[in-house]
Amino acid sequence: MLIVAAFSFFAAAQETQIKWFGHAAFTITTPKGKVLLIDPWLSNPMNADVKAGKDPLLAVPKVDYILLTHGHRDHVGEAVEIAKRTGAILIANPEIAGNLVKLVDFPAKQAQTDAIMGIGGEIQIADGEVTVAMTPAVHTSSVFNPKAGPNEPERAYGGSPAGFVIIVKNGPTIYHTGDTAYFSDMALIGEQYQIDVALINIGGHTAMEPKMAAKAAKAVRTKLAIPQHFATDPGMTQDSAVFAAELKLLKIPFYEMKPGQTIIYRGRLLVKK
Ligand SMILES: [Zn+2]
């Protein structure tokens, strides 16, 4: 009995939670309770809290790291406000970091750490509990400049767009594609990392169409494909049907989260949807 009790305590302590806020926004809560927030446009119209008329920022009282795949407004979202409230450290490329500080008052100390990184690099965060790798993405990246004068561009340089592979110790390895087209070098991401779950942009129009998104799932050899960045506005892919059907042909497990939903991993196993 003691062994069973000890085992279930150990198991509970090893849970990783992944929550979707609609669009490209997710939190990952590690077994030790560290919170990573990716592309925090929490005020997006798909967010369940927004639909319910609640302040969406109340859902993230504790954030340790904010990860930005690129500088577009639907990804930076409320990063500045959340950074000010929580003290979260920014993980992004140096161009985004520099311009967010200069143009929209992102707290400088939180944007000038060794968590600023480049594509191809890996960093250790959360006292070594998490490794973050920045991966390529084929897209654009710019930082909106609300201070632009009449003859200045309102989009400042945002460096190269990216995706992230997030390796959680005693937890899953998670791939967030960011906004990207399909590219065949995604296979290298699948070779390098053992992806348990891929959060894949299927929005089309400005990035990956659903059929190509299924190819991306195959290329990175994910054990589970979850769609994101769709149905936020009328110009995008409106549902996951085509993506799901293509994945079925490719025999890749598919799961669609609902905005506001949390899934739980115990170790590298998905235990609750
Ligand atoms: Zn986007």
Side-chain angles (χ1 to χ4, degrees):
M1 275 308 276
L2 262 178
I3 293 167
V4 173
F7 178 76
S8 31
F9 171 78
F10 177 78
Q14 301 301 324
E15 282 183 352
T16 301
Q17 300 183 4
I18 303 173
K19 181 175 179 180
W20 189 39
F21 296 88
H23 208 61
F26 290 85
T27 48
I28 297 166
T29 305
T30 70
K32 289 186 176 167
K34 289 283 194 281
V35 180
L36 283 64
L37 175 60
I38 308 169
D39 287 354
W41 183 32
L42 299 190
S43 66
N44 79 75
M46 292 285 285
N47 188 335
D49 284 345
V50 172
K51 283 184 178 166
K54 291 188 209 158
D55 176 356
L57 299 197
L58 296 180
V60 289
K62 171 185 162 32
V63 180
D64 298 288
Y65 300 94
I66 295 172
L67 292 76
L68 298 180
T69 59
H70 61 294
H72 292 165
R73 274 186 285 187
D74 62 317
H75 295 259
V76 172
E78 290 75 45
V80 174
E81 184 64 38
I82 295 165
K84 285 179 179 168
R85 289 190 193 187
T86 63
I89 299 294
L90 180 66
I91 300 178
N93 70 35
E95 292 82 7
I96 290 175
N99 278 329
L100 286 183
V101 170
K102 205 164 186 180
L103 305 175
V104 290
D105 304 319
F106 193 101
K109 274 188 185 159
Q110 293 155 241
Q112 292 165 350
T113 74
D114 53 11
I116 299 307
M117 64 187 301
I119 290 168
E122 292 181 3
I123 57 169
Q124 304 269 326
I125 59 166
D127 303 318
E129 192 189 14
V130 179
T131 301
V132 176
M134 189 179 264
T135 58
V138 179
H139 193 60
T140 62
S141 177
S142 50
V143 176
F144 181 68
N145 178 11
K147 297 173 183 168
N151 298 316
E152 287 177 283
E154 64 172 17
R155 287 166 182 264
Y157 188 48
S160 292
F164 289 108
V165 174
I166 296 154
I167 304 160
V168 181
K169 199 179 254 179
N170 299 315
T173 293
I174 302 152
Y175 174 43
H176 187 299
T177 60
D179 282 6
T180 182
Y182 169 77
F183 53 98
S184 57
D185 278 357
M186 280 178 168
L188 294 177
I189 298 171
E191 269 174 33
Q192 186 64 26
Y193 304 103
Q194 284 70 52
I195 311 285
D196 295 299
V197 53
L199 312 170
I200 302 181
N201 178 326
I202 66 160
H205 196 154
T206 58
M208 209 146 44
E209 295 292 340
K211 278 192 177 183
M212 297 307 274
K215 270 193 198 298
K218 184 175 163 113
V220 301
R221 307 181 196 176
T222 187
K223 295 194 187 82
L224 179 68
I226 291 178
Q228 48 110 344
H229 203 290
F230 66 102
T232 322
D233 67 56
M236 310 179 82
T237 304
Q238 288 302 298
D239 62 53
S240 63
V242 171
F243 182 57
E246 286 294 313
L247 288 171
K248 200 170 182 187
L249 293 176
L250 297 170
K251 298 189 170 55
I252 298 168
F254 160 83
Y255 183 68
E256 180 175 339
M257 293 177 76
K258 298 278 169 272
Q261 187 184 349
T262 300
I263 58 172
I264 297 175
Y265 277 80
R266 194 165 293 152
R268 300 184 75 154
L269 270 188
L270 178 61
V271 292
K272 183 177 172 283
K273 291 197 271 204

